[in-house]
Amino acid sequence: MDMKKNAISAIAAVMLLSFSLGGQMFAAGSSFKDIGSVTGKDKINSLKAQGLIKGISDTQFLPASTVTTAQGIQFISGGLQLSLAAIDFNKAPVASSIFSKVKDNAWYAEAFINAHYNGVDIPADIDPAKPITKELFTNLLIQGVEKVGNLPMINIVPVDIADADALDPSYQGSIQRSLKYNINTLDASGKFNPKSQLTRAEAAVMLYNALEYLNSRSDAATQN
């Protein structure tokens, strides 16, 4: 009887752990079953098929769930496939030497390290547990995209954003470029909604659009 209880407890512990990791344990496989009515579901399933995003199980994505900062950085690092492969270190870097609130044994520590050393300027005191806003995620994603794609600085005609006054001034440039790259779009009222808490579906769609932009540039360069 004790063995049976122990087995049940072990299974429950694994399920709890997988949920707390935001789905980082599950590999790519069949399509997610809970995104049937979600805008961008094909994009989300495409990322899953490529092994670039994961759900809380192999068939559940929880598209409406709020993205934590830890999950947001994982989306960016995993989706853009950021790594330390091309960087030489005398000593392997640890997250706690860079970020005051990221523990070295946290499931997301590697994602933070990879993003940092690939040019994504993540605040040193960022709280991984806090929900990430649309404007912060956009700012960090654009930094990653521009580093990965080695994109040149461009002069763009700013798009009129109805709620521009709500934007963090330091994010305005990256937000405008995200609109230029078609990574983001404004809503029907012309608003960006910068302070809104990002959902997992929204983050995944933005990541897909970012990769599409990078692929389009790569294809254009090949043709030329």
Side-chain angles (χ1 to χ4, degrees):
M1 189 69 175
D2 288 341
M3 292 180 63
K4 183 177 181 181
K5 286 183 178 180
N6 289 338
I8 293 173
S9 296
I11 294 171
V14 170
M15 292 178 66
L16 179 60
L17 177 61
S18 68
F19 199 92
S20 69
L21 294 185
Q24 304 310 314
M25 296 173 63
F26 293 90
S30 58
S31 300
F32 291 123
K33 305 302 184 185
D34 59 349
I35 61 172
S37 60
V38 174
T39 300
K41 64 179 181 180
D42 291 338
K43 295 181 178 182
I44 297 171
N45 275 326
S46 175
L47 291 174
K48 181 180 189 293
Q50 297 174 67
L52 298 177
I53 62 169
K54 299 168 186 176
I56 65 153
S57 76
D58 198 42
T59 57
Q60 284 188 302
F61 186 63
L62 293 189
S65 293
T66 299
V67 177
T68 64
T69 298
Q71 291 172 344
I73 299 302
Q74 178 62 45
F75 267 111
I76 294 169
S77 283
L80 297 179
Q81 301 184 70
L82 305 181
S83 76
L84 305 183
I87 306 173
D88 292 326
F89 293 98
N90 292 326
K91 183 179 179 181
V94 293
S96 60
S97 68
I98 307 167
F99 306 102
S100 61
K101 298 177 182 177
V102 178
K103 295 181 179 180
D104 295 329
N105 61 351
W107 64 264
Y108 49 81
E110 184 178 5
F112 274 73
I113 292 172
N114 288 345
H116 173 80
Y117 283 104
N118 280 277
V120 181
D121 186 16
I122 306 169
D125 63 348
I126 200 165
D127 186 347
K130 288 185 63 175
I132 196 167
T133 62
K134 184 179 180 181
E135 65 176 357
L136 176 56
F137 183 79
T138 296
N139 180 58
L140 299 176
L141 176 61
I142 293 302
Q143 290 181 50
V145 167
E146 292 176 340
K147 291 292 184 179
V148 168
N150 194 25
L151 303 185
M153 295 298 294
I154 57 174
N155 291 319
I156 61 175
V157 178
V159 174
D160 288 332
I161 301 175
D163 55 351
D165 291 344
L167 301 179
D168 184 313
S170 64
Y171 300 155
Q172 288 184 356
S174 57
I175 289 171
Q176 285 286 348
R177 296 196 300 280
S178 80
L179 296 170
K180 176 68 174 180
Y181 301 154
N182 293 317
I183 292 172
N184 272 318
T185 57
L186 302 177
D187 69 13
S189 301
K191 294 182 178 181
F192 185 79
N193 303 303
K195 300 298 189 289
S196 63
Q197 294 180 0
L198 206 64
T199 67
R200 287 172 59 83
E202 290 170 335
V205 168
M206 288 170 62
L207 174 61
Y208 181 94
N209 292 343
L211 293 172
E212 280 288 283
Y213 179 74
L214 289 173
N215 288 336
S216 69
R217 285 187 57 83
S218 177
D219 291 343
T222 301
Q223 291 173 4
N224 292 334

